[in-house]
Amino acid sequence: MRNKILKLRVSTLEKRIITKKANQLGVSTSELIRAALLNYKVKSKLTQEELEIFKMLTNYSLNFTRISNLVREKDYDSFKKISMETAKEIREILIQKFK
């Protein structure tokens, strides 16, 4: 249980740097300082956008697995349908992200 408080003096610039780094990693300033001093590895948390991208890539991975299974089974009609749907999804996202 963390119930002890340490006080630390830093300059305005140092405070800004520490706060910015903590925000970039998605952790508190306390967690960042504690990790730095105790040689812990700071695990950055995914932003909402990164989480959405991760879910999207997982979905694409599943689609490509299905496509390869359909090719193996020689079900070319289903292969074509899923390939076209996946390509359309990718195209729409690229257009949306890079307008």
Side-chain angles (χ1 to χ4, degrees), residues 31-48:
E31 191 173 350
L32 179 66
I33 293 168
R34 196 170 28 254
L37 293 174
L38 299 174
N39 294 322
Y40 294 159
K41 191 171 189 176
V42 177
K43 295 180 183 177
S44 67
K45 297 176 179 137
L46 297 177
T47 64
Q48 186 61 35

Side-chain angles (χ1 to χ4, degrees), residues 24-81:
Q24 287 172 340
L25 293 170
V27 297
S28 68
T29 54
S30 294
E31 191 173 350
L32 179 66
I33 293 168
R34 196 170 28 254
L37 293 174
L38 299 174
N39 294 322
Y40 294 159
K41 191 171 189 176
V42 177
K43 295 180 183 177
S44 67
K45 297 176 179 137
L46 297 177
T47 64
Q48 186 61 35
E49 183 180 14
E50 291 169 333
L51 190 56
E52 288 175 27
I53 291 170
F54 177 78
K55 289 177 183 177
M56 199 178 355
L57 290 173
T58 301
N59 188 36
Y60 293 150
S61 173
L62 292 172
N63 284 342
F64 286 117
T65 301
R66 288 184 191 119
I67 289 169
S68 66
N69 289 339
L70 292 171
V71 170
R72 191 174 335 117
E73 295 169 7
K74 297 185 176 154
D75 185 355
Y76 296 114
D77 290 334
S78 295
F79 163 74
K80 182 179 178 182
K81 180 182 175 192

